[in-house]
Amino acid sequence: MNKFLLSIIIPCYNEAENLKEFYRRAKAVLAVYEYYLLFIDDGSTDGSLEILKNLAAADDRVRYVHLSRNFGHQNALKAGYDHARDADCVVCMDADIQHPPELIPQLIAQWQKGYKVVNTRRMDNGSEPVLKRLASKGFYSVINRISNLKLVPGGADFRLLDAQVVTQLSFFNENALFMRELVPWLGFKQCTVAFDVEERFGGNSKYSFKKQVSFSLRGLVSSSIAPLRAAIFIGLVIAGLSFAYGIYALYVHWFTVKALPGWTSVMAGILFVGGLQLLLMGIIGEYLGKTFLESRKRPLYIVEECSTGSLKQHNPVILREREKLDIDM
């Protein structure tokens, strides 16, 4: 494969300090390819959009899509894939340069060998806090146990997708998108390339602890219904133990002269079972909440402005309706 069109998707939220440096490094690496950079501005408020407009005006290989507000990293990724369907392959990476642009030729080399999906895996070089590394290992350990799919520990949303895979992704409009599980679910021939995470060039991470917890819960709930089955199992075990204790209490009362334990043990049991019930209700509620969000059928993102054509052409709802008409015809 000698000539091909490469699209680089860069979701960004308040990355004004990094955009010009990212553009400089990416341009140097991609000089030998036919490519374009597609920045997805996820509702930035720090002047990122103005920088993108200036870059697009100076270089026709720079495109941007500005979302009407911050819809979240996973939805911004989806917006990028929806707008990059004219490319032969698509690479997605972050704008903070922790995903090194210099790795792109290695991803392309694997794609040219026949891999439709080239994933990346962060090397554990000890640069991240110990607590964060342990939490990451725990997350992947749990999700790989409850899911039929096996996610690569340390996996990132920095990956290359063939055009065929990008087309298949366009049919997915789940509210709780979790790309790290969805891409393996699609199948195709896949491989993984390891890389060292670089330091942020500028600014601070926008991924707060709250967002990390939310992302982890989304991954667990989206990947499997195992937590619901676990809730059933735990409920049966507790019910069985409670029934056995009830039999024991009746035996002590009717056939022995021992005094029944006081209210302390009773209260401890009530509090334990009550807390467990709240936990299980929370698990069930999480799934019910996801079902409610899916039932509303709202679009995953709203495009306010873009440099890639009219808004009507790139509206995700209109695109889906157009595809249905094409299939019917």
Side-chain angles (χ1 to χ4, degrees):
M1 186 181 298
N2 297 321
K3 290 186 177 181
F4 57 88
L5 177 60
L6 169 67
S7 174
I8 309 295
I9 298 174
I10 312 101
C12 50
Y13 175 61
N14 290 344
E15 297 288 356
E17 298 180 49
N18 298 314
L19 294 176
K20 291 182 180 179
E21 177 64 13
F22 177 90
Y23 169 74
R24 183 189 67 80
R25 286 179 56 175
K27 184 178 179 180
V29 172
L30 300 172
V32 297
Y33 302 108
E34 183 179 353
Y35 73 95
Y36 64 85
L37 303 175
L38 178 57
F39 292 90
I40 309 299
D41 180 39
D42 193 16
S44 296
T45 58
D46 67 341
S48 294
L49 180 59
E50 292 304 317
I51 294 175
L52 295 179
K53 288 181 177 180
N54 292 334
L55 291 175
D59 187 345
D60 59 4
R61 290 173 298 185
V62 175
R63 306 177 184 178
Y64 67 87
V65 174
H66 174 60
L67 304 185
S68 61
R69 65 170 178 84
N70 181 248
F71 285 89
H73 185 262
Q74 297 296 292
N75 289 355
L77 275 178
K78 183 62 166 60
Y81 289 132
D82 287 343
H83 286 76
R85 291 169 59 185
D86 59 336
D88 296 296
C89 63
V90 176
V91 173
C92 181
M93 57 197 307
D94 291 343
D96 57 12
I97 319 181
Q98 289 190 302
H99 298 162
E102 290 76 15
L103 192 69
I104 294 175
Q106 294 186 41
L107 305 184
I108 293 175
Q110 295 299 317
W111 173 64
Q112 291 177 325
K113 291 179 181 178
Y115 291 100
K116 295 295 183 71
V117 178
V118 185
N119 298 298
T120 64
R121 176 174 60 87
R122 299 183 300 271
M123 297 292 289
D124 186 1
N125 55 14
S127 60
E128 294 184 336
V130 175
L131 184 59
K132 185 175 181 179
R133 296 204 304 270
L134 291 176
S136 177
K137 290 181 180 179
F139 168 74
Y140 282 103
S141 176
V142 170
I143 204 169
N144 283 334
R145 286 181 179 274
I146 68 174
S147 175
N148 295 327
L149 301 170
K150 299 303 177 185
L151 275 63
V152 178
D157 286 316
F158 179 22
R159 63 173 64 87
L160 179 147
L161 299 181
D162 182 81
Q164 185 180 3
V165 183
V166 175
T167 298
Q168 294 303 316
L169 275 178
S170 68
F171 297 111
F172 289 80
N173 291 283
E174 303 171 4
N175 185 273
L177 281 172
F178 184 55
M179 290 292 181
R180 296 183 195 180
E181 183 269 339
L182 180 56
V183 172
W185 183 90
L186 289 172
F188 298 101
K189 189 177 181 182
Q190 305 194 13
C191 68
T192 301
V193 175
F195 74 99
D196 288 318
V197 178
E198 296 189 9
E199 295 291 333
R200 285 183 62 90
F201 179 78
N204 299 316
S205 174
K206 312 305 182 298
Y207 231 59
S208 63
F209 176 75
K210 180 181 178 181
K211 288 185 177 181
Q212 292 177 18
V213 172
S214 177
F215 181 75
S216 299
L217 288 175
R218 171 183 290 195
L220 292 173
V221 173
S222 300
S223 302
S224 172
I225 61 170
L228 282 176
R229 291 174 176 170
I232 295 173
F233 175 76
I234 294 172
L236 289 174
V237 170
I238 296 300
L241 292 175
S242 300
F243 180 76
Y245 182 78
I247 297 297
Y248 168 74
L250 290 174
Y251 170 79
V252 171
H253 179 70
W254 287 337
F255 300 105
T256 71
V257 295
K258 296 180 180 179
L260 289 174
W263 65 270
T264 303
S265 60
V266 175
M267 288 301 298
I270 292 174
L271 291 174
F272 172 73
V273 174
L276 186 62
Q277 287 177 331
L278 290 175
L279 173 63
L280 300 183
M281 288 176 63
I283 295 175
I284 297 171
E286 186 71 20
Y287 281 91
L288 287 175
K290 299 299 182 186
T291 303
F292 167 69
L293 293 176
E294 291 292 344
S295 68
R296 295 189 298 181
K297 300 297 182 182
R298 292 185 179 181
L300 300 181
Y301 57 87
I302 302 295
V303 177
E304 181 176 345
E305 181 180 353
C306 65
S307 64
T308 60
S310 70
L311 297 182
K312 182 179 292 187
Q313 287 179 320
H314 295 287
N315 184 292
V317 177
I318 294 177
L319 281 173
R320 291 199 298 271
E321 294 301 323
R322 185 182 302 163
E323 288 164 354
K324 291 179 183 178
L325 290 174
D326 292 341
I327 293 174
D328 294 339
M329 294 177 62

PDB file of all heavy atoms in Angstrom, residues 142-163:
ATOM      1  N   VAL A 142     -10.302  -6.407  37.417  1.00  0.00           N
ATOM      2  CA  VAL A 142     -11.728  -6.656  37.641  1.00  0.00           C
ATOM      3  C   VAL A 142     -12.472  -6.779  36.320  1.00  0.00           C
ATOM      4  O   VAL A 142     -13.254  -7.712  36.116  1.00  0.00           O
ATOM      5  CB  VAL A 142     -12.340  -5.527  38.509  1.00  0.00           C
ATOM      6  CG1 VAL A 142     -13.869  -5.643  38.550  1.00  0.00           C
ATOM      7  CG2 VAL A 142     -11.772  -5.569  39.906  1.00  0.00           C
ATOM      8  N   ILE A 143     -12.228  -5.846  35.404  1.00  0.00           N
ATOM      9  CA  ILE A 143     -12.987  -5.837  34.154  1.00  0.00           C
ATOM     10  C   ILE A 143     -12.671  -7.062  33.290  1.00  0.00           C
ATOM     11  O   ILE A 143     -13.527  -7.574  32.564  1.00  0.00           O
ATOM     12  CB  ILE A 143     -12.726  -4.522  33.376  1.00  0.00           C
ATOM     13  CG1 ILE A 143     -13.903  -4.248  32.434  1.00  0.00           C
ATOM     14  CG2 ILE A 143     -11.428  -4.567  32.596  1.00  0.00           C
ATOM     15  CD1 ILE A 143     -13.881  -2.865  31.826  1.00  0.00           C
ATOM     16  N   ASN A 144     -11.441  -7.564  33.373  1.00  0.00           N
ATOM     17  CA  ASN A 144     -11.096  -8.766  32.612  1.00  0.00           C
ATOM     18  C   ASN A 144     -11.699 -10.023  33.225  1.00  0.00           C
ATOM     19  O   ASN A 144     -11.857 -11.031  32.543  1.00  0.00           O
ATOM     20  CB  ASN A 144      -9.577  -8.906  32.506  1.00  0.00           C
ATOM     21  CG  ASN A 144      -8.982  -7.959  31.481  1.00  0.00           C
ATOM     22  OD1 ASN A 144      -9.653  -7.548  30.539  1.00  0.00           O
ATOM     23  ND2 ASN A 144      -7.728  -7.594  31.666  1.00  0.00           N
ATOM     24  N   ARG A 145     -12.015  -9.963  34.512  1.00  0.00           N
ATOM     25  CA  ARG A 145     -12.660 -11.103  35.157  1.00  0.00           C
ATOM     26  C   ARG A 145     -14.151 -11.169  34.854  1.00  0.00           C
ATOM     27  O   ARG A 145     -14.710 -12.265  34.710  1.00  0.00           O
ATOM     28  CB  ARG A 145     -12.448 -11.041  36.672  1.00  0.00           C
ATOM     29  CG  ARG A 145     -11.034 -11.412  37.114  1.00  0.00           C
ATOM     30  CD  ARG A 145     -10.905 -11.340  38.625  1.00  0.00           C
ATOM     31  NE  ARG A 145      -9.575 -11.705  39.064  1.00  0.00           N
ATOM     32  CZ  ARG A 145      -9.168 -12.951  39.307  1.00  0.00           C
ATOM     33  NH1 ARG A 145     -10.032 -13.956  39.158  1.00  0.00           N
ATOM     34  NH2 ARG A 145      -7.951 -13.210  39.708  1.00  0.00           N
ATOM     35  N   ILE A 146     -14.792 -10.018  34.754  1.00  0.00           N
ATOM     36  CA  ILE A 146     -16.247 -10.024  34.580  1.00  0.00           C
ATOM     37  C   ILE A 146     -16.665  -9.975  33.112  1.00  0.00           C
ATOM     38  O   ILE A 146     -17.824 -10.214  32.795  1.00  0.00           O
ATOM     39  CB  ILE A 146     -16.890  -8.838  35.327  1.00  0.00           C
ATOM     40  CG1 ILE A 146     -16.511  -7.506  34.671  1.00  0.00           C
ATOM     41  CG2 ILE A 146     -16.517  -8.854  36.789  1.00  0.00           C
ATOM     42  CD1 ILE A 146     -17.221  -6.307  35.258  1.00  0.00           C
ATOM     43  N   SER A 147     -15.740  -9.647  32.224  1.00  0.00           N
ATOM     44  CA  SER A 147     -16.082  -9.503  30.805  1.00  0.00           C
ATOM     45  C   SER A 147     -15.558 -10.687  30.008  1.00  0.00           C
ATOM     46  O   SER A 147     -14.541 -11.306  30.360  1.00  0.00           O
ATOM     47  CB  SER A 147     -15.492  -8.198  30.254  1.00  0.00           C
ATOM     48  OG  SER A 147     -15.719  -8.107  28.857  1.00  0.00           O
ATOM     49  N   ASN A 148     -16.258 -10.997  28.920  1.00  0.00           N
ATOM     50  CA  ASN A 148     -15.788 -12.047  28.020  1.00  0.00           C
ATOM     51  C   ASN A 148     -14.606 -11.592  27.182  1.00  0.00           C
ATOM     52  O   ASN A 148     -13.862 -12.405  26.640  1.00  0.00           O
ATOM     53  CB  ASN A 148     -16.927 -12.486  27.086  1.00  0.00           C
ATOM     54  CG  ASN A 148     -18.065 -13.149  27.844  1.00  0.00           C
ATOM     55  OD1 ASN A 148     -17.848 -13.827  28.848  1.00  0.00           O
ATOM     56  ND2 ASN A 148     -19.290 -12.960  27.368  1.00  0.00           N
ATOM     57  N   LEU A 149     -14.434 -10.281  27.055  1.00  0.00           N
ATOM     58  CA  LEU A 149     -13.315  -9.720  26.315  1.00  0.00           C
ATOM     59  C   LEU A 149     -12.159  -9.440  27.267  1.00  0.00           C
ATOM     60  O   LEU A 149     -12.365  -9.195  28.454  1.00  0.00           O
ATOM     61  CB  LEU A 149     -13.734  -8.425  25.617  1.00  0.00           C
ATOM     62  CG  LEU A 149     -14.879  -8.548  24.619  1.00  0.00           C
ATOM     63  CD1 LEU A 149     -15.343  -7.165  24.192  1.00  0.00           C
ATOM     64  CD2 LEU A 149     -14.461  -9.364  23.405  1.00  0.00           C
ATOM     65  N   LYS A 150     -10.947  -9.486  26.751  1.00  0.00           N
ATOM     66  CA  LYS A 150      -9.768  -9.221  27.546  1.00  0.00           C
ATOM     67  C   LYS A 150      -9.148  -7.899  27.112  1.00  0.00           C
ATOM     68  O   LYS A 150      -8.674  -7.771  25.986  1.00  0.00           O
ATOM     69  CB  LYS A 150      -8.753 -10.358  27.410  1.00  0.00           C
ATOM     70  CG  LYS A 150      -9.285 -11.712  27.884  1.00  0.00           C
ATOM     71  CD  LYS A 150      -9.754 -11.645  29.339  1.00  0.00           C
ATOM     72  CE  LYS A 150     -10.358 -12.967  29.790  1.00  0.00           C
ATOM     73  NZ  LYS A 150     -10.921 -12.862  31.168  1.00  0.00           N
ATOM     74  N   LEU A 151      -9.183  -6.931  28.020  1.00  0.00           N
ATOM     75  CA  LEU A 151      -8.583  -5.632  27.741  1.00  0.00           C
ATOM     76  C   LEU A 151      -7.113  -5.667  28.144  1.00  0.00           C
ATOM     77  O   LEU A 151      -6.750  -6.286  29.151  1.00  0.00           O
ATOM     78  CB  LEU A 151      -9.304  -4.525  28.510  1.00  0.00           C
ATOM     79  CG  LEU A 151     -10.568  -3.941  27.864  1.00  0.00           C
ATOM     80  CD1 LEU A 151     -11.651  -4.993  27.727  1.00  0.00           C
ATOM     81  CD2 LEU A 151     -11.095  -2.774  28.690  1.00  0.00           C
ATOM     82  N   VAL A 152      -6.280  -4.994  27.353  1.00  0.00           N
ATOM     83  CA  VAL A 152      -4.853  -4.964  27.630  1.00  0.00           C
ATOM     84  C   VAL A 152      -4.598  -4.006  28.794  1.00  0.00           C
ATOM     85  O   VAL A 152      -4.960  -2.825  28.718  1.00  0.00           O
ATOM     86  CB  VAL A 152      -4.059  -4.509  26.389  1.00  0.00           C
ATOM     87  CG1 VAL A 152      -2.568  -4.435  26.696  1.00  0.00           C
ATOM     88  CG2 VAL A 152      -4.319  -5.455  25.224  1.00  0.00           C
ATOM     89  N   PRO A 153      -3.994  -4.481  29.903  1.00  0.00           N
ATOM     90  CA  PRO A 153      -3.688  -3.568  31.016  1.00  0.00           C
ATOM     91  C   PRO A 153      -2.811  -2.414  30.549  1.00  0.00           C
ATOM     92  O   PRO A 153      -1.854  -2.605  29.794  1.00  0.00           O
ATOM     93  CB  PRO A 153      -2.938  -4.471  32.005  1.00  0.00           C
ATOM     94  CG  PRO A 153      -3.427  -5.854  31.691  1.00  0.00           C
ATOM     95  CD  PRO A 153      -3.646  -5.872  30.210  1.00  0.00           C
ATOM     96  N   GLY A 154      -3.161  -1.211  30.979  1.00  0.00           N
ATOM     97  CA  GLY A 154      -2.407  -0.054  30.536  1.00  0.00           C
ATOM     98  C   GLY A 154      -2.815   0.431  29.157  1.00  0.00           C
ATOM     99  O   GLY A 154      -2.144   1.279  28.562  1.00  0.00           O
ATOM    100  N   GLY A 155      -3.920  -0.102  28.630  1.00  0.00           N
ATOM    101  CA  GLY A 155      -4.376   0.305  27.309  1.00  0.00           C
ATOM    102  C   GLY A 155      -4.795   1.764  27.286  1.00  0.00           C
ATOM    103  O   GLY A 155      -5.178   2.332  28.305  1.00  0.00           O
ATOM    104  N   ALA A 156      -4.716   2.357  26.104  1.00  0.00           N
ATOM    105  CA  ALA A 156      -5.055   3.780  25.958  1.00  0.00           C
ATOM    106  C   ALA A 156      -5.979   3.950  24.763  1.00  0.00           C
ATOM    107  O   ALA A 156      -6.141   3.037  23.937  1.00  0.00           O
ATOM    108  CB  ALA A 156      -3.791   4.615  25.780  1.00  0.00           C
ATOM    109  N   ASP A 157      -6.576   5.136  24.660  1.00  0.00           N
ATOM    110  CA  ASP A 157      -7.394   5.459  23.492  1.00  0.00           C
ATOM    111  C   ASP A 157      -6.534   5.975  22.344  1.00  0.00           C
ATOM    112  O   ASP A 157      -7.052   6.551  21.388  1.00  0.00           O
ATOM    113  CB  ASP A 157      -8.457   6.497  23.870  1.00  0.00           C
ATOM    114  CG  ASP A 157      -9.572   5.889  24.707  1.00  0.00           C
ATOM    115  OD1 ASP A 157     -10.039   4.789  24.356  1.00  0.00           O
ATOM    116  OD2 ASP A 157      -9.965   6.498  25.718  1.00  0.00           O
ATOM    117  N   PHE A 158      -5.255   5.791  22.454  1.00  0.00           N
ATOM    118  CA  PHE A 158      -4.287   6.087  21.397  1.00  0.00           C
ATOM    119  C   PHE A 158      -4.163   4.831  20.540  1.00  0.00           C
ATOM    120  O   PHE A 158      -3.553   3.841  20.926  1.00  0.00           O
ATOM    121  CB  PHE A 158      -2.950   6.454  22.056  1.00  0.00           C
ATOM    122  CG  PHE A 158      -1.830   6.758  21.096  1.00  0.00           C
ATOM    123  CD1 PHE A 158      -2.065   7.148  19.792  1.00  0.00           C
ATOM    124  CD2 PHE A 158      -0.512   6.677  21.525  1.00  0.00           C
ATOM    125  CE1 PHE A 158      -1.032   7.427  18.922  1.00  0.00           C
ATOM    126  CE2 PHE A 158       0.531   6.961  20.673  1.00  0.00           C
ATOM    127  CZ  PHE A 158       0.280   7.335  19.371  1.00  0.00           C
ATOM    128  N   ARG A 159      -4.794   4.845  19.353  1.00  0.00           N
ATOM    129  CA  ARG A 159      -4.829   3.643  18.519  1.00  0.00           C
ATOM    130  C   ARG A 159      -5.013   4.025  17.058  1.00  0.00           C
ATOM    131  O   ARG A 159      -5.404   5.151  16.730  1.00  0.00           O
ATOM    132  CB  ARG A 159      -5.974   2.721  18.943  1.00  0.00           C
ATOM    133  CG  ARG A 159      -7.349   3.329  18.767  1.00  0.00           C
ATOM    134  CD  ARG A 159      -8.458   2.328  19.042  1.00  0.00           C
ATOM    135  NE  ARG A 159      -8.467   1.879  20.414  1.00  0.00           N
ATOM    136  CZ  ARG A 159      -9.107   2.507  21.398  1.00  0.00           C
ATOM    137  NH1 ARG A 159      -9.778   3.642  21.132  1.00  0.00           N
ATOM    138  NH2 ARG A 159      -9.100   2.057  22.612  1.00  0.00           N
ATOM    139  N   LEU A 160      -4.742   3.061  16.180  1.00  0.00           N
ATOM    140  CA  LEU A 160      -5.008   3.215  14.749  1.00  0.00           C
ATOM    141  C   LEU A 160      -6.131   2.266  14.365  1.00  0.00           C
ATOM    142  O   LEU A 160      -6.119   1.096  14.756  1.00  0.00           O
ATOM    143  CB  LEU A 160      -3.755   2.912  13.930  1.00  0.00           C
ATOM    144  CG  LEU A 160      -3.886   3.006  12.397  1.00  0.00           C
ATOM    145  CD1 LEU A 160      -2.584   3.477  11.758  1.00  0.00           C
ATOM    146  CD2 LEU A 160      -4.316   1.679  11.757  1.00  0.00           C
ATOM    147  N   LEU A 161      -7.074   2.770  13.586  1.00  0.00           N
ATOM    148  CA  LEU A 161      -8.183   1.963  13.092  1.00  0.00           C
ATOM    149  C   LEU A 161      -8.232   2.026  11.579  1.00  0.00           C
ATOM    150  O   LEU A 161      -8.091   3.101  10.984  1.00  0.00           O
ATOM    151  CB  LEU A 161      -9.518   2.464  13.656  1.00  0.00           C
ATOM    152  CG  LEU A 161      -9.708   2.449  15.172  1.00  0.00           C
ATOM    153  CD1 LEU A 161     -11.106   2.948  15.517  1.00  0.00           C
ATOM    154  CD2 LEU A 161      -9.472   1.075  15.747  1.00  0.00           C
ATOM    155  N   ASP A 162      -8.442   0.889  10.969  1.00  0.00           N
ATOM    156  CA  ASP A 162      -8.665   0.832   9.533  1.00  0.00           C
ATOM    157  C   ASP A 162     -10.021   1.442   9.187  1.00  0.00           C
ATOM    158  O   ASP A 162     -10.927   1.500  10.028  1.00  0.00           O
ATOM    159  CB  ASP A 162      -8.601  -0.630   9.073  1.00  0.00           C
ATOM    160  CG  ASP A 162      -8.778  -0.788   7.577  1.00  0.00           C
ATOM    161  OD1 ASP A 162      -7.804  -0.594   6.840  1.00  0.00           O
ATOM    162  OD2 ASP A 162      -9.920  -1.087   7.153  1.00  0.00           O
ATOM    163  N   ALA A 163     -10.170   1.891   7.940  1.00  0.00           N
ATOM    164  CA  ALA A 163     -11.416   2.525   7.517  1.00  0.00           C
ATOM    165  C   ALA A 163     -12.618   1.602   7.704  1.00  0.00           C
ATOM    166  O   ALA A 163     -13.717   2.057   8.030  1.00  0.00           O
ATOM    167  CB  ALA A 163     -11.309   2.948   6.054  1.00  0.00           C
TER     168      ALA A 163
END
